[in-house]
Amino acid sequence: MIPFLDLKKVNLTYKDEFIRSFTNFLDSGNYILDEQVNLFEQEFAKFCGTKYCIGVANALDGLTIILKAMGIGCEDEVIVPSNTYIATILAISNCGATPILVEPDIKTYNIDPQNIEKAITKRTKAILVVHLYGQCCNMDPIVDIANKYSLKVIEDAAQAHGARYKGKRVGNLSDAAAFSFYPSKNLGGLGDGGAICTSNEELAQTIRALRNYGSNVRYYNKYKGLNSRLDELQAAFLRIKLQSLDFDNSKRRAIAEFYSKSIKNQSIVLPSVEGDPESHVWHLYVIRSECRDSLQEYLYNKGIQTVIHYPLPPHKQEAYFEWNHCTFSISERIHSEVLSLPISPVMLEEEYSAIVEVINHFQ
Ligand SMILES: *Cc1c(COP(=O)(O)O)cnc(C)c1O
């Protein structure tokens, strides 16, 4: 079986460095918000090109903390794509604000800037974009609309570590961005982790306090905060993996380019890249087929594991029963047709060649 993602293989590449790092961590006697988190924050801010990076426990917390730090809460509306992973929307709900779903572009699967303006009301406070599957959103028109209506822009960059838009990295294209280091992400730890990037000093200070009980000075609490800290040990592991992130992303890009030039099956819609090649870091290689379920079964029977990202759109989830009667036809079509093929920095040529061969024989 060709696995969808062989995480063990990905991480064994770093085994010796991880063990060395763990030993140093153990010997240090400092296990919370210490040297490793500090250094990782500096290194990741530098990587993204932002002034500040604040480590947090995961991306859901990261997004929630950004919204809280911006003062977004009850009575406020936040515009968000209708076809994102549920965490993006949960963050808005967590703050007591109302998510306003906007349909994506059927070509890129990212929020369609043309649909944003008509969703704006006098309660709108922010636009929360998602660089879905690793492809950077078309930011210029989004930032223009935000400026016109004095809205904040926030990036959910959980799938797009390292992607560039007109030379700048994601994380540095908005007021603040949240990243996830969940093990399967392009930069993944050996457990949960996340970070917030921003160049706004005041916002950074509030965020830094919010992740640590709302406190900047020990035992003095300025805000009603959370306990959402990036773990020292995960930070130590992430520092090691950050060094090869660009290289790993280039391997993903090479596999994606191979798939796109070699898959010839006319019934399959291939991903389209809107900007330059570096605007996509291929967290997922997502194809579309009107016979998606039979294609998935066919591939499985030929020894190829695939995953659907995602089978049910947010507005059809039980948790959001209030939206269950709504129609978002582009989002629904995407959810019924998408299929993610295996892609990772440790895949072998014989594996991705075999996948193309099998797909080209699907009828
Ligand atoms: C993974 C993911 C998240 C959540 O990340 P966690 O660190 O697991 O909280 C949020 N948004 C998107 C788009 C994701 O892919």
Side-chain angles (χ1 to χ4, degrees), residues 10-54:
V10 168
N11 286 308
L12 282 180
T13 322
Y14 306 94
K15 187 172 180 177
D16 294 343
E17 286 171 279
F18 284 166
I19 290 172
R20 220 175 303 133
S21 188
F22 173 76
T23 306
N24 290 338
F25 160 77
L26 181 63
D27 290 348
S28 79
N30 299 319
Y31 307 129
I32 295 285
L33 289 188
D34 214 279
E35 189 184 18
Q36 295 304 314
V37 171
N38 272 332
L39 289 170
F40 175 75
E41 288 177 345
Q42 288 170 31
E43 289 159 8
F44 197 63
K46 186 165 176 237
F47 176 84
C48 294
T50 54
K51 283 197 191 142
Y52 310 100
C53 167
I54 302 105

Side-chain angles (χ1 to χ4, degrees), residues 139-184:
M139 293 303 289
D140 282 349
I142 296 169
V143 171
D144 284 348
I145 296 167
N147 289 339
K148 184 171 162 193
Y149 293 90
S150 304
L151 307 176
K152 300 282 189 203
V153 181
I154 303 159
E155 295 162 81
D156 178 341
Q159 301 189 351
H161 320 66
R164 288 178 194 271
Y165 179 75
K166 301 187 176 175
K168 278 170 123 184
R169 301 265 195 192
V170 308
N172 187 23
L173 304 169
S174 63
D175 293 291
F179 289 87
S180 170
F181 308 123
Y182 182 82
S184 65

Side-chain angles (χ1 to χ4, degrees), residues 58-60 85 87-88 130 156 158-159 180 182 185 193 310:
N58 56 66
L60 171 57
Y85 179 58
T88 324
V130 184
D156 178 341
Q159 301 189 351
S180 170
Y182 182 82
K185 308 289 181 174
Y310 300 90

